[in-house]
Amino acid sequence: MESTPKSTVRTGIMDYSLTDLDRDSWQQLHTAPSQKDSYFKTFTMATTTPDGAPDARMVVLRQVDETSRTLWFHTDVRAQKVTHLHRNPQAVLLFWDEKEQVQLRCRVSTTIHTTDAMANEQWASTWEGSRKMYLSEHEPGSSQLEPYPGFPAYFGEKLPTRDESEAGRTNFAVVECRVLEMDYLHLSRAGQTRARFDYGGETVSRQWLAP
Ligand SMILES: Cc1cc2nc3c(=O)[nH]c(=O)nc-3n(C[C@H](O)[C@H](O)[C@H](O)COP(=O)(O)O)c2cc1C
């Protein structure tokens, strides 16, 4: 059972309850991968290096399941972020919708899929343009004597054929991010709105926060 907050907040012309904000945020995330102009299509993912230092980078949101509050993105299994996540699977995902003036900060627990059905399914639906980057002969972030395009140079601007792209499968990984907590922030001259949604317990706990 989920707690039903009684209070609402006035943001612009509409009144929102905490439950509305939580639901709308997930709805916005859910539709982002298929919407051409969604600001939530890409996001920043922050990890911790094995030395305990912070690190962050942009990634593309591939899929969202609102019910299990899970998000997925693709990466190269040899990437440094994968090393970070093997050591510490906790991460933070940061979304910013400039049009709606909404920031979502999600604390997540991650699982890396490389050879299972999830990875196979996502690979099957990945087009040749994306698959091209998984053909890289070099580990992402490795030092090179000259600029390296991220795939065998003979491809140039050409896409690999479906058959050629299959060589990238061994480098492909899907990162699953289960959201444990979401911090919502809406910027507005009429008053900012900040709330925290905690999904870690048996029931969802929702709380207004001072911006
Ligand atoms: C807009 C944008 C989208 C990106 N999407 C991805 C992505 O989906 N997966 C990925 O591994 N890297 C993506 N990158 C590259 C990463 O930001 C990063 O440079 C690279 O993955 C190496 O990161 P790492 O050394 O932390 O592993 C993207 C970069 C930009 C600018």
Side-chain angles (χ1 to χ4, degrees):
M1 216 182 74
E2 302 193 353
S3 58
T4 316
K6 304 245 182 311
S7 55
T8 58
V9 65
R10 186 167 286 278
T11 52
I13 54 165
M14 292 181 72
D15 289 331
Y16 285 103
S17 70
L18 280 166
T19 335
D20 291 337
L21 285 186
D22 187 8
R23 187 202 53 231
D24 287 1
S25 302
W26 277 101
Q27 180 62 25
Q28 213 184 331
L29 284 171
H30 178 69
T31 54
S34 59
Q35 278 187 349
K36 195 165 165 276
D37 300 326
S38 172
Y39 283 97
F40 284 176
K41 237 185 156 82
T42 57
F43 60 97
T44 300
M45 188 210 202
T47 53
T48 308
T49 71
D51 299 337
D55 203 354
R57 77 289 293 155
M58 298 291 291
V59 291
V60 175
L61 182 63
R62 297 293 176 176
Q63 197 176 316
V64 176
D65 181 59
E66 293 164 271
T67 313
S68 61
R69 300 187 177 96
T70 307
L71 301 86
W72 290 268
F73 71 88
H74 299 168
T75 195
D76 191 307
V77 75
R78 304 164 294 177
Q80 279 156 17
K81 68 178 85 51
V82 174
T83 309
H84 301 175
L85 294 173
H86 276 310
R87 182 67 77 91
N88 181 353
Q90 303 284 321
V92 169
L93 316 184
L94 189 65
F95 296 86
W96 165 238
D97 186 326
E98 194 178 333
K99 185 161 165 275
E100 299 293 333
Q101 297 282 290
V102 168
Q103 170 182 267
L104 300 181
R105 187 162 38 158
C106 302
R107 195 167 60 77
V108 302
S109 172
T110 60
T111 307
I112 295 162
H113 299 267
T114 52
T115 56
D116 59 7
M118 162 60 74
N120 288 339
E121 194 184 297
Q122 295 276 319
W123 177 252
S125 63
T126 300
W127 80 296
E128 288 78 350
S130 297
R131 286 181 169 206
K132 190 176 178 183
M133 299 313 293
Y134 296 97
L135 297 173
S136 173
E137 301 111 319
H138 303 294
E139 199 172 293
S142 60
S143 300
Q144 303 297 320
L145 292 173
E146 52 190 31
Y148 176 68
F151 47 79
Y154 55 80
F155 281 115
E157 290 190 11
K158 272 196 332 191
L159 292 180
T161 63
R162 196 71 177 168
D163 272 356
E164 285 169 332
S165 74
E166 282 301 330
R169 174 63 186 91
T170 52
N171 298 325
F172 177 77
V174 178
V175 182
E176 178 178 310
C177 306
R178 195 163 61 82
V179 180
L180 307 174
E181 191 179 287
M182 183 189 285
D183 185 317
Y184 171 98
L185 176 68
H186 175 240
L187 302 182
S188 166
R189 276 193 211 158
Q192 303 186 6
T193 309
R194 185 172 173 193
R196 182 177 53 232
F197 312 124
D198 187 345
Y199 310 117
E202 279 188 17
T203 61
V204 179
S205 151
R206 303 182 181 91
Q207 180 71 53
W208 297 118
L209 302 177

